Amino acid sequence: MRQFRHRFLFEWMLMFLLLPPTMVWLDSKPGLADASAVLYDRILSRHQPTPSGNILIIGIDKRSMAELGPWPFARSVHAALLDRVAPQGPRAVLLDIFFDERSFDPAEDQRLAESMAKIPVYLPLNFPAALAAHSGKSPEFLPISPPLAAAARGVGHANATPDADGLVRGLWRYEGTSTRLWPYVGLLMAGLAPAAPPRVDPKAAQDWTRQGPFGIPFAGPAGTYPTISYVDALRGDLPNELLRDKLVLVGALSDAGLGDTLPVAGIGALTGLAGVEIHANALDALIRNFDIGKPSNVERVLWISLPIWVVLILFLRSSTDAVAITLAACGISIAASVAGLIYGRINFPMVSPVCGVVLAYLLWSWRRLHALLVFFRRRAAALNAVPAGAFEPLEQPELPALDSVERRTHALDRAIDRLTHLQSLLTEGVWELPIPVLICRADGIVSQSNAAAQALLAGSRMTLESNPEGSRDHLQGLDLPRYLEGLQRTDLPDAEVRDRPSPWVKATASEFTTKQGNIFRLRAASLGNRADSGTRGWVVVLPDVTAERKAQKEREQWFGFLSHDLRSPQVTILNLLTLFSEGAPNVNLRGLLEGVESEARRTIHLTESFMDMVEAESGVYRFALTFAGSIVLDAIDATWAAAQARNLTVKARLGSSDCSVVADSSLLTRALVNLLNNAIRSSASGTTIHVCLEANVDQDASQPQVVISVQDEGAGMTAEQLAKVMLSQSRRRQPSDPAKPLAAQGWGVGLSIVHAVVERHGGWVDVISAPGAGTTFFIGLPLSTEEPLIAESPS
């Protein structure tokens, strides 16, 4: 991965350094320059300035040529025109006519020079570029006739040089040779030309030098500026004050046919303008500061390079948003170029920054995609090389790949299928493990758990709060160390506390008890504990020792029972024999025999009770449909002799003797016998024990039930004794003092048998009692809607 990163950064740096100068070089080449020119023309055609009212054109048109004769006109004609114009007080006059040749009649030059002295007149220099190229000489301006040059207010160039596509978009402020640069004649008329022309380094200069380009925002097609005919002006057919304080341009119009028409851009269709109209637009732009400048070389390089650099930096920081970044950069570049042209009057490159941004995106995407494909190919090969053994997924038939991208896609698909298959098998395997397993982060937060762990821990308040969505994994997000702090902890004295990192310090040396009574221990193993990566997570195993601890308590209980209850009768017998052998006065042979018999019967009764308890909790029940009344009567018959011996009366009231239950008749009868025996032992001689049977079929009851009650007229129980009797079987089998046997705590094994049997029948046990008011036990059993089959007696 580090190798790809270094290579990727190296390629990015190459694009950052080489792409901008490449686009700067391409900006001046055909293609990008032509596209920029087209956008330039479109923008200017929609933002044409309003012509100034300070410029007037006197045009040499077709009518003037017809009336005044062939071209060129005599210089005296031009002098007459100036004489007509001068009285109206124009600010300046440009004679857009070349006077580089002397007149055959010197008087003509003198006549024109005298007229030029009356008003400021500016003359253009002739530049015969075609003649210079044909003769092989260096190009240069042709000098103006000396009398006229001396009379002119200013002399400058008037070259309108078309661009590479043949359209005129602007002029140069200065043109000339290495020895002298001539200002544009419009600069002289606008008063913007410096006193001394700029100097040119002869060593660096070409044969022809141009400086200070500026673009012209053409106001419109031919006729946009006010124009009057040359012949009309010559005759004086001019409104009064028409030329007052105006800049007057005299020159040939397009319909004169003198070849002075050039195609210009930015006025809609490709329409030509006469030279004099081009100079009118240029002069107007210079005077009103509407001329369009060009950026310096440094500004041009930064204008093209800055968007490219910005998008490349943004690509590096947020590659997923590369398309949005590219579109935004292109839009901003175009908007900035348009705003600079319209409001800043600077013709920044328009197409080159946009093409540079797009090319940066294409190169970035190409190299990024290539790097990703190489990375995917290597990683897919590495994944496919991992042996899966028996967990290898079945290979699916594939269509032949058309190119390398599709081949790499197939390899990646196979790797993903294998990885997904292995992950699915791992997840399902962990879920089905019979022991509780948790996958935790380094800080102890649960990220995955299996079914056994959820059965052990789920349901606590903290667990539900940690996963409110109720997904399949109810322990996900649980803070396990904090959860363990809230549980009952039992430290194991013989456990070894190893030097484990937090959060499992001392946790492995304790047992924890949940609110549901489940007991578990904790074992943890770290994931990814290599020196260079640290601990990435933990596999936590929670062995459930609830059954083990329950069996241990039961063993302690029954050991106490055997050591106390079964040992007590034998000790009594030994004591009687010792007293008889020593000739105690109160012990005779008859008393000895009666005492031995009583203790032997007591031992047999305790043994039978113990066997009943074992059978009641063994889980081996033989359920069958039977009448509840027959079970009650069998229990009364079984205790009839004991009741008679104590002079007690047992009355049965079977309100629903024909109701049936699904029960193990033998065990259920034995449970009722235990209740009746308790009632017999608690009743005084001559009292009555009432046994009732009723069926509760109330519609409000969730399930119809059979209720059996056993009521005696004994001494009853106190509230403390009643609370102990009402404890559940599990709590009653976990005495507060394990060393003290159950019989010594006051309720014996009989009630344990009752609770165990009734619980296995899906029923409940309840009791009400008060001192001096006797005791009543209730047993509730599910009522069956079916009736038992009664075998018919043979006739």
Side-chain angles (χ1 to χ4, degrees), residues 256-389:
L258 298 181
D260 193 26
T261 301
L262 295 175
V264 298
I267 56 175
L270 296 180
T271 306
L273 287 182
V276 67
E277 292 183 297
I278 294 176
H279 295 310
N281 282 272
L283 180 60
D284 195 11
L286 290 173
I287 294 175
R288 299 167 64 186
N289 199 23
F290 278 177
D291 59 303
I292 300 173
K294 289 189 177 182
S296 65
N297 290 333
V298 175
E299 293 174 340
R300 175 170 163 267
V301 170
L302 290 178
W303 188 266
I304 297 174
S305 304
L306 189 60
I308 301 174
W309 288 335
V310 170
V311 296
L312 284 175
I313 293 174
L314 293 178
F315 288 165
L316 195 62
R317 295 180 60 87
S318 180
S319 59
T320 56
D321 301 326
V323 175
I325 292 172
T326 302
L327 295 177
C330 291
I332 293 174
S333 297
I334 294 175
S337 299
V338 173
L341 179 60
I342 296 175
Y343 303 106
R345 296 294 173 179
I346 299 179
N347 184 19
F348 286 109
M350 298 185 186
V351 178
S352 300
V354 176
C355 291
V357 169
V358 174
L359 186 58
Y361 169 74
L362 294 177
L363 290 175
W364 167 267
S365 300
W366 167 49
R367 298 312 304 161
R368 185 165 174 260
L369 179 60
H370 178 266
L372 286 176
L373 289 176
V374 173
F375 174 76
F376 286 157
R377 175 173 58 82
R378 295 184 179 180
R379 300 309 296 172
L383 287 175
N384 287 323
V386 175

Side-chain angles (χ1 to χ4, degrees), residues 170 529 649 718 738 793:
N529 56 351
T649 302
T718 63
S793 59

Side-chain angles (χ1 to χ4, degrees), residues 191-502:
L192 300 177
R199 297 181 177 180
V200 180
D201 186 0
K203 297 181 180 179
Q206 304 286 334
D207 291 340
W208 194 254
T209 301
R210 294 185 175 96
Q211 291 184 5
F214 69 94
I216 304 173
F218 292 98
T224 300
Y225 284 88
T227 304
I228 60 175
S229 176
Y230 186 96
V231 67
D232 292 337
L234 182 63
R235 293 172 179 172
D237 297 336
L238 300 176
N240 293 330
E241 305 295 325
L242 176 63
L243 302 182
R244 178 69 60 187
D245 203 28
K246 295 288 195 306
L247 294 173
V248 179
L249 283 72
V250 180
L253 298 179
S254 298
D255 62 351
L258 298 181
D260 193 26
T261 301
L262 295 175
V264 298
I267 56 175
L270 296 180
T271 306
L273 287 182
V276 67
E277 292 183 297
I278 294 176
H279 295 310
N281 282 272
L283 180 60
D284 195 11
L286 290 173
I287 294 175
R288 299 167 64 186
N289 199 23
F290 278 177
D291 59 303
I292 300 173
K294 289 189 177 182
S296 65
N297 290 333
V298 175
E299 293 174 340
R300 175 170 163 267
V301 170
L302 290 178
W303 188 266
I304 297 174
S305 304
L306 189 60
I308 301 174
W309 288 335
V310 170
V311 296
L312 284 175
I313 293 174
L314 293 178
F315 288 165
L316 195 62
R317 295 180 60 87
S318 180
S319 59
T320 56
D321 301 326
V323 175
I325 292 172
T326 302
L327 295 177
C330 291
I332 293 174
S333 297
I334 294 175
S337 299
V338 173
L341 179 60
I342 296 175
Y343 303 106
R345 296 294 173 179
I346 299 179
N347 184 19
F348 286 109
M350 298 185 186
V351 178
S352 300
V354 176
C355 291
V357 169
V358 174
L359 186 58
Y361 169 74
L362 294 177
L363 290 175
W364 167 267
S365 300
W366 167 49
R367 298 312 304 161
R368 185 165 174 260
L369 179 60
H370 178 266
L372 286 176
L373 289 176
V374 173
F375 174 76
F376 286 157
R377 175 173 58 82
R378 295 184 179 180
R379 300 309 296 172
L383 287 175
N384 287 323
V386 175
F391 302 108
E392 186 74 38
L394 297 177
E395 291 197 14
Q396 302 294 331
E398 296 179 355
L399 295 176
L402 298 177
D403 55 10
S404 60
V405 175
E406 190 172 1
R407 286 194 300 271
R408 295 173 185 176
T409 303
H410 290 170
L412 182 61
D413 286 340
R414 288 193 300 271
I416 292 175
D417 289 342
R418 297 175 80 249
L419 185 61
T420 304
H421 187 67
L422 289 173
Q423 182 181 7
S424 176
L425 290 175
L426 178 61
T427 302
E428 293 298 328
V430 172
W431 178 262
E432 297 295 338
L433 285 176
I435 58 175
V437 177
L438 303 172
I439 308 297
C440 300
R441 299 186 326 213
D443 56 358
I445 302 298
V446 177
S447 59
Q448 184 179 353
S449 64
N450 66 349
Q454 296 186 38
L456 179 66
L457 301 181
S460 68
R461 181 178 181 182
M462 182 181 297
T463 304
L464 295 178
E465 289 178 353
S466 64
N467 188 15
E469 290 82 5
S471 61
R472 181 185 182 189
D473 195 342
H474 301 285
L475 298 179
Q476 186 176 3
L478 174 67
D479 190 345
L480 187 59
R482 188 165 70 92
Y483 173 72
L484 295 177
E485 291 177 0
L487 297 180
Q488 178 182 347
R489 179 195 295 261
T490 302
D491 294 331
L492 302 177
D494 57 342
E496 179 183 356
V497 179
R498 299 183 179 179
D499 185 14
R500 295 178 182 271
S502 180

